[in-house]
Structure formats: structure tokens, C-alpha cells
Amino acid sequence: KNQVEQSPQSLIILEGKNCTLQCNYTVSPFSNLRWYKQDTGRGPVSLTIMTFSENTKSNGRYTATLDADTKQSSLHITASQLSDSASYICVVTRGYNKLIFGAGTRLAVHP
Amino acid sequence: DAGVIQSPRHEVTEMGQEVTLRCKPISGHDYLFWYRQTMMRGLELLIYFNNNVPIDDSGMPEDRFSAKMPNASFSTLKIQPSEPRDSAVYFCASSLALIAYQETQYFGPGTRLLVL
């Protein structure tokens, strides 16, 4: 079954700390994987997009990794800031045109 | 560019009424997506268009929902008749491509729909 599972469901960290969000998928055939950040009350904003041949992609303090063999991806946030408080959504494209969404991880960064 | 534009931003209606949501994609983008987001179900893709043609509408919940894209700069999502369980935030997004390496979807601000 084609699924995208994210963990943890929610996370609380202190400002300045690092954290890692997980995304496991069983989607096949795989085309690409994206991470989105969604602030409360706003639309999602793309952070990274990776194809199967890419292992790591960075966007500022955000670093995404992809292991196509184990079908796992992670999003690492370095030196977290209050503005990182948001939901983070993992999306996998199956084949040519099917988007499979994870349920998201809700991150809260506290001062 | 002003980004993806959606209207209205908020809509409150009574059960049984027709609701029409509108979207203007970023100029030059060939793909347009309609999403629904709720606390219970997260973000769901309803339908998407490529060059004004519907490609995948498997996410449309039932016949009460319909979407059109009469031209490259305008799309509508219609719910008729509306039901309380349709209450959600509806997002429109557009992109240059779907699976190309540099593809990015740009989301609009969303329409918050409440059906009483």
C-alpha cells in the first residue's frame, strides 16, 4: 500500500536546539520527495525536493536526507528558532502524477 | 508576481447552499492543484490540472464537488450542496512542472470554509 508516515506526530524543543523529523514511505514507483513547512493559518511553503539519486539537500538551517534503499527521509533543523514553529509535511510523488501526503509533524519551539 | 490568489479568504454558509471557491495561479504555471486541509485528515489533494485539463480527480470526495479551469489564469472549485463536514481550509497551488527537478508548488493563502 502506498503510504507516507511521519514521526513524531508532534514535538516540543527549546530555542537553539537541533531536531530531526522522520518520513518513511512505501510509495512505488518513486519519483521525488518534498518537505513543506506550514505556518499556522498559511499555505505550505516548499523547503526541499529530492529525487532518488540525491542523498542530501540543504536550505539554510534545514537539511533533508533521503535513503532510497530504506525508503526513509529526514528533515534536520539546526539551531532552532521560534519561527521554526510550524507543521512539516512530507510528500512523495508516485509515478508520474500521484502525490502521497504524510500527516505532518507539528513542531513547537519554546524560548 | 503576486503569487497564487484565492478568493474569498473566508466563507460562512448554511448547509445546502452552493459554495464557489476561486483561484488565480501564478502566470506561466502549467499545473494547478486544489487541496483540502482539516485537523483530522491533514492535507488532501482533491484534483489537479495540467494546461487546463483535469489530470487526477481521484481525491474529489463525491459528486457534490466539481472543479473547472476554463483558462490558464482561473479555476473554480464548487460544492453543491454544501454540508457541515465540508468545513475545512481549501488551498490552491500552482507549479511549472510536476516531477521535474526544479519543480516547486506555490500555495495560495487558502479559503477557510465553515458550513453551518
Side-chain angles (χ1 to χ4, degrees), chain A residues 36-70:
Chain A
Y36 285 94
K37 178 188 178 188
Q38 185 176 20
D39 293 319
T40 301
R42 305 179 80 98
V45 174
S46 179
L47 292 176
T48 65
I49 178 171
M50 291 184 291
T51 62
F52 70 92
S53 61
E54 298 176 285
N55 300 118
T56 303
K57 182 73 69 74
S58 291
N59 180 354
R61 293 180 297 102
Y62 301 99
T63 299
T65 65
L66 175 65
D67 187 331
D69 292 330
T70 62

Side-chain angles (χ1 to χ4, degrees), chain B residues 59-114:
Chain B
M60 295 287 264
E62 48 198 275
D63 293 344
R64 297 185 297 106
F65 286 70
S66 62
K68 294 181 179 180
M69 192 165 185
N71 57 63
S73 60
F74 183 67
S75 177
T76 60
L77 178 67
K78 186 174 294 186
I79 309 172
Q80 167 64 18
S82 58
E83 297 182 2
R85 59 194 171 113
D86 301 330
S87 298
V89 181
Y90 291 81
F91 288 104
C92 176
S94 70
S95 68
L96 282 171
L98 186 63
I99 62 172
Y101 179 78
Q102 295 298 331
E103 174 271 339
T104 296
Q105 286 190 27
Y106 295 87
F107 283 74
T111 294
R112 190 172 297 274
L113 173 65
L114 177 61

Side-chain angles (χ1 to χ4, degrees), chain A residues 34 38 54 96-98 101, chain B residues 35 37 48 58 98 101:
Chain A
R34 283 170 277 176
Q38 185 176 20
E54 298 176 285
Y96 180 73
N97 61 7
K98 194 69 176 179
F101 291 81
Chain B
Y35 294 89
Q37 187 174 43
Y48 76 88
S58 59
L98 186 63
Y101 179 78

Side-chain angles (χ1 to χ4, degrees), chain A residues 3-95:
Chain A
Q3 287 185 317
V4 176
E5 295 185 353
Q6 293 188 243
S7 63
Q9 191 173 45
S10 61
L11 181 64
I12 300 174
I13 62 173
L14 293 177
E15 186 179 13
K17 298 296 186 182
N18 303 335
C19 68
T20 299
L21 314 180
Q22 297 291 340
C23 174
N24 297 339
Y25 60 93
T26 58
V27 176
S28 181
F30 172 90
S31 290
N32 61 34
L33 183 147
R34 283 170 277 176
W35 282 95
Y36 285 94
K37 178 188 178 188
Q38 185 176 20
D39 293 319
T40 301
R42 305 179 80 98
V45 174
S46 179
L47 292 176
T48 65
I49 178 171
M50 291 184 291
T51 62
F52 70 92
S53 61
E54 298 176 285
N55 300 118
T56 303
K57 182 73 69 74
S58 291
N59 180 354
R61 293 180 297 102
Y62 301 99
T63 299
T65 65
L66 175 65
D67 187 331
D69 292 330
T70 62
K71 298 188 176 181
Q72 295 179 326
S73 176
S74 65
L75 181 69
H76 185 75
I77 304 175
T78 303
S80 61
Q81 300 176 359
L82 298 179
S83 59
D84 294 329
S85 296
S87 290
Y88 293 84
I89 304 170
C90 175
V91 183
V92 177
T93 303
R94 175 184 173 227

Side-chain angles (χ1 to χ4, degrees), chain B residues 25-77:
Chain B
I26 293 173
S27 178
H29 282 190
D30 292 332
Y31 288 82
L32 182 140
F33 307 79
W34 281 103
Y35 294 89
R36 178 174 67 177
Q37 187 174 43
T38 62
M39 287 294 292
M40 291 297 295
R41 300 173 67 89
L43 193 63
E44 303 173 278
L45 177 64
L46 300 176
I47 185 172
Y48 76 88
F49 296 83
N50 176 212
N51 292 324
N52 313 337
V53 176
I55 301 301
D56 183 0
D57 64 354
S58 59
M60 295 287 264
E62 48 198 275
D63 293 344
R64 297 185 297 106
F65 286 70
S66 62
K68 294 181 179 180
M69 192 165 185
N71 57 63
S73 60
F74 183 67
S75 177
T76 60
L77 178 67

